[in-house]
Amino acid sequence: MKMVTAIIKPFKLDDVREALGDLGLSGITVTEVKGFGRQKGHTELYRGAEYVVDFLPKTKIEAVVPADVLDQVIEAISSAAQTGKIGDGKIFVSSVEQVVRIRTGETGTEAI
């Protein structure tokens, strides 16, 4: 099993959720986050004063998926979240040792 963590632009969330739903992904966790990479923030004008916004709003999506569908999940997220502009985001993949469904006690892929 693999944990897929994607950091995307907030307005792309519905597109990504739809693409993952088309793959039959049963659940995701979504968190509103702030951060920056190469984008390095931007400047804004407020009441005539210019100030720097260091941390940009992003959306973090997490999903635990079976290893055999990992490539499809990465492709679905990449194509749905891509705008072609700086700040599109990143996808991180890590291994998951064990999953336990609290309600039933199921473990492994049955618990996903």
Side-chain angles (χ1 to χ4, degrees), residues 16-37:
V16 171
R17 184 179 61 185
E18 196 172 302
L20 293 175
D22 291 345
L23 289 178
L25 202 64
S26 60
I28 61 173
T29 300
V30 177
T31 311
E32 292 179 10
V33 295
K34 291 184 180 191
F36 69 91

Side-chain angles (χ1 to χ4, degrees), residues 15 21 55 60:
D15 295 338
F55 295 102
K60 178 172 150 180

Side-chain angles (χ1 to χ4, degrees), residues 1 6 14 16 18 29 32-33 40 45 48 55 57 62 66-67 69 73 81 102-103 109:
M1 292 175 291
D14 287 336
V16 171
E18 196 172 302
T29 300
E32 292 179 10
V33 295
K40 301 251 194 311
L45 220 57
F55 295 102
E62 296 173 300
V69 297
V73 169
I102 295 171
R103 179 178 54 87
T109 55

Side-chain angles (χ1 to χ4, degrees), residues 55-87:
F55 295 102
L56 300 170
K58 300 288 181 179
T59 299
K60 178 172 150 180
I61 300 170
E62 296 173 300
V64 176
V65 300
D68 59 336
V69 297
L70 177 63
D71 292 336
Q72 295 170 329
V73 169
I74 291 171
E75 177 58 33
I77 294 171
S78 295
S79 60
Q82 186 177 28
T83 66
K85 297 183 177 152
I86 193 166

